[in-house]
Amino acid sequence: MNRKISLGAALAFVIIAAAVAVCVTMLVSRDTFNRKISNVEQQEQMYQKIQKIDEVVSDNSLYDVDGETLLNAIGQGVVSGIGDPYAVYYTSSQYQKLLDQQSGDAVGIGVSLQEDTSGDYAAVVQVYQDSPAESAGLRQGDLIVEVDGVSVRDLDLSQVSDALIGEKGTTVSLTYRRDGSDATVEITRRQYSQSSVTYQVVDGDIGYLRISSFEEDTPSQLNDALNDLQAQEVRGLVIDVRNNAGGDTNSCTQCLDQLLPEGVLGYSRSADGQRQILATSDASQIDLPMAVLVNENTASMAELFAAAIRDYDKGDLVGNTTYGKGVLQTLYPLDDGSAVQLTTAYFDPPASDNFDGAGLIPDYEVDLGRDQQATMGSVDGDDQLEKAVSVLRSSWL
């Protein structure tokens, strides 16, 4: 409930909030915070500035102050001001959604989106199995035109995605375009399993695996997919990590462990240059030629995944130069249900150089036309996949 906070109460609230949100949110503990800002005068100036702003707001603002909104704004402000481009402050509700996504369970309609060729609409690139979207008849390649009567031309892609997420049992009106014709459907949001691994046999005897992100259950999904593909006696694997923005470190290294021989899978490197092993692989491996599909949206752990496969000479990279995010984030939950994510180290591939700011240059540079974005994963409509299949076949000669 909104209410006007008195000057004294506001001062007390903000000082407490600052102590918790600044000290704990920024660097987890007061001792750590003081090591980072060792100058006592700087600390005092920070608290005095927050106090002065509160006095001005309390004495002069026309609007009521909502305590929760203020506390979240302090957390967001501190994180945005520390100079870390990948730092994120999550409110309690945002953090819970993140946990749901990482566990493979989500509430929404069950689609993955990207901008279409014109840049005006959101193209459906994946419809999750047994999701509300699948039940409603949505397909890969459909264009989202309106959400609840609002044109997606007035929204960016993240806003469109957020608009599809909501409370279980609520509905969203979706207008989509297919083959030049528009249709509107009401979809009820519910919980669904968000598979991060899909696979099929392409071109007769090639196993195609798409890993959309590295989540908690990705390694088990990959294991099931590999077992099935090997039972079908595929002669090679194309692993697609295009548009994969990364995810959980342990998930990524567990996936690599299934594919690669015994050895180091990567290193973490601190600001002072000290390196530690991220994870190692056992002797068990997949003895098949591989090719990894990458593009400009392949980032973070997905880049480490691709680099490790190449470092072990298990496969070539096909596609476009990757994003170039070779730094590691750590997530720190806070007592009030919120969380903060901070960049804490570099991560290096097993043998090659760190790719932060540079990306991975593919062995075979192949552009994908914008008209092919919605048909990724189809040999007949995906030049990068077609090239990867060709690379595998040439390795058998």
Side-chain angles (χ1 to χ4, degrees), residues 289-331:
M290 302 176 195
V292 184
L293 292 174
V294 296
N295 67 2
E296 65 278 5
N297 296 320
T298 300
S300 191
M301 281 297 134
E303 291 177 282
L304 178 65
F305 179 88
I309 289 177
R310 183 162 64 179
D311 282 356
Y312 275 87
D313 293 325
K314 293 289 288 186
D316 293 320
L317 308 190
V318 179
N320 304 113
T321 300
T322 62
Y323 183 86
K325 181 174 178 284
V327 288
L328 184 69
Q329 280 72 51
T330 304
L331 190 64

Side-chain angles (χ1 to χ4, degrees), residues 17 20-22 24-26 68 71-76 79 88-99 331-341:
V20 174
V22 175
V24 178
T25 302
M26 184 174 177
E68 183 177 359
L71 186 58
N72 283 325
I74 291 172
Q76 291 166 349
V79 169
V88 180
Y89 171 82
Y90 295 98
T91 66
S92 57
S93 61
Q94 290 170 336
Y95 181 45
Q96 186 57 53
K97 289 179 182 177
L98 178 66
L99 293 177
L331 190 64
Y332 299 96
L334 304 180
D335 291 341
D336 65 351
S338 61
V340 61
Q341 176 179 283

Side-chain angles (χ1 to χ4, degrees), residues 40-97:
V40 176
E41 184 178 350
Q42 284 183 323
Q43 296 175 37
E44 183 65 24
Q45 288 174 349
M46 179 180 292
Y47 296 130
Q48 286 180 353
K49 185 163 187 174
I50 292 174
Q51 179 176 331
K52 185 60 178 179
I53 291 173
D54 178 72
E55 291 175 0
V56 173
V57 171
S58 298
D59 291 344
N60 301 288
S61 177
L62 175 66
Y63 303 104
D64 291 341
V65 177
D66 178 74
E68 183 177 359
T69 300
L70 179 59
L71 186 58
N72 283 325
I74 291 172
Q76 291 166 349
V78 170
V79 169
S80 68
I82 63 176
D84 181 346
Y86 303 114
V88 180
Y89 171 82
Y90 295 98
T91 66
S92 57
S93 61
Q94 290 170 336
Y95 181 45
Q96 186 57 53
K97 289 179 182 177

Side-chain angles (χ1 to χ4, degrees), residues 21-310:
V22 175
C23 298
V24 178
T25 302
M26 184 174 177
L27 291 163
V28 185
S29 71
R30 180 61 181 266
D31 289 340
T32 306
F33 176 71
N34 286 341
R35 286 198 299 271
K36 290 290 184 178
I37 303 180
S38 56
N39 189 307
V40 176
E41 184 178 350
Q42 284 183 323
Q43 296 175 37
E44 183 65 24
Q45 288 174 349
M46 179 180 292
Y47 296 130
Q48 286 180 353
K49 185 163 187 174
I50 292 174
Q51 179 176 331
K52 185 60 178 179
I53 291 173
D54 178 72
E55 291 175 0
V56 173
V57 171
S58 298
D59 291 344
N60 301 288
S61 177
L62 175 66
Y63 303 104
D64 291 341
V65 177
D66 178 74
E68 183 177 359
T69 300
L70 179 59
L71 186 58
N72 283 325
I74 291 172
Q76 291 166 349
V78 170
V79 169
S80 68
I82 63 176
D84 181 346
Y86 303 114
V88 180
Y89 171 82
Y90 295 98
T91 66
S92 57
S93 61
Q94 290 170 336
Y95 181 45
Q96 186 57 53
K97 289 179 182 177
L98 178 66
L99 293 177
D100 291 340
Q101 178 182 347
Q102 291 176 340
S103 68
D105 292 323
V107 174
I109 71 167
V111 294
S112 178
L113 304 175
Q114 67 181 29
E115 284 189 6
D116 82 312
T117 56
S118 68
D120 292 332
Y121 306 112
V124 176
V125 294
Q126 184 176 1
V127 178
Y128 292 105
Q129 189 175 6
D130 298 325
S131 68
E134 184 183 60
S135 300
L138 288 182
R139 303 176 190 169
Q140 181 183 11
D142 289 344
L143 301 179
I144 306 301
V145 178
E146 291 184 355
V147 179
D148 284 333
V150 178
S151 172
V152 300
R153 290 183 175 181
D154 301 324
L155 306 171
D156 60 35
L157 191 63
S158 64
Q159 290 174 314
V160 177
S161 296
D162 289 344
L164 303 182
I165 300 172
E167 295 296 324
K168 181 180 179 180
T170 60
T171 61
V172 58
S173 175
L174 209 63
T175 299
Y176 64 93
R177 182 168 299 164
R178 181 186 299 163
D179 299 327
S181 298
D182 291 356
T184 300
V185 62
E186 295 282 332
I187 303 179
T188 301
R189 302 178 179 96
R190 62 171 170 81
Q191 193 170 38
Y192 63 93
S193 179
Q194 187 170 305
S195 176
S196 55
V197 178
T198 55
Y199 68 98
Q200 60 180 310
V201 176
V202 299
D203 207 41
D205 54 3
I206 302 293
Y208 168 78
L209 293 136
R210 183 176 184 179
I211 305 176
S212 58
S213 60
F214 291 101
E215 311 296 350
E216 183 179 307
D217 56 356
T218 304
S220 62
Q221 291 180 27
L222 178 62
N223 181 67
D224 291 342
L226 289 170
N227 288 337
D228 192 6
L229 289 172
Q230 289 181 99
Q232 297 183 61
E233 298 183 348
V234 296
R235 299 180 64 196
L237 296 175
V238 175
I239 306 175
D240 189 348
V241 289
R242 292 174 295 183
N243 300 326
N244 182 328
D248 180 68
T249 303
N250 290 332
S251 172
C252 175
T253 55
Q254 287 173 28
C255 288
L256 286 170
D257 183 21
Q258 298 178 46
L259 300 169
L260 300 180
E262 185 174 4
V264 174
L265 296 175
Y267 301 88
S268 66
R269 178 164 46 89
S270 62
D272 62 5
Q274 296 296 313
R275 292 216 306 180
Q276 292 185 330
I277 294 174
L278 275 178
T280 58
S281 175
D282 60 24
S284 175
Q285 62 178 305
I286 298 296
D287 190 20
L288 289 171
M290 302 176 195
V292 184
L293 292 174
V294 296
N295 67 2
E296 65 278 5
N297 296 320
T298 300
S300 191
M301 281 297 134
E303 291 177 282
L304 178 65
F305 179 88
I309 289 177
R310 183 162 64 179

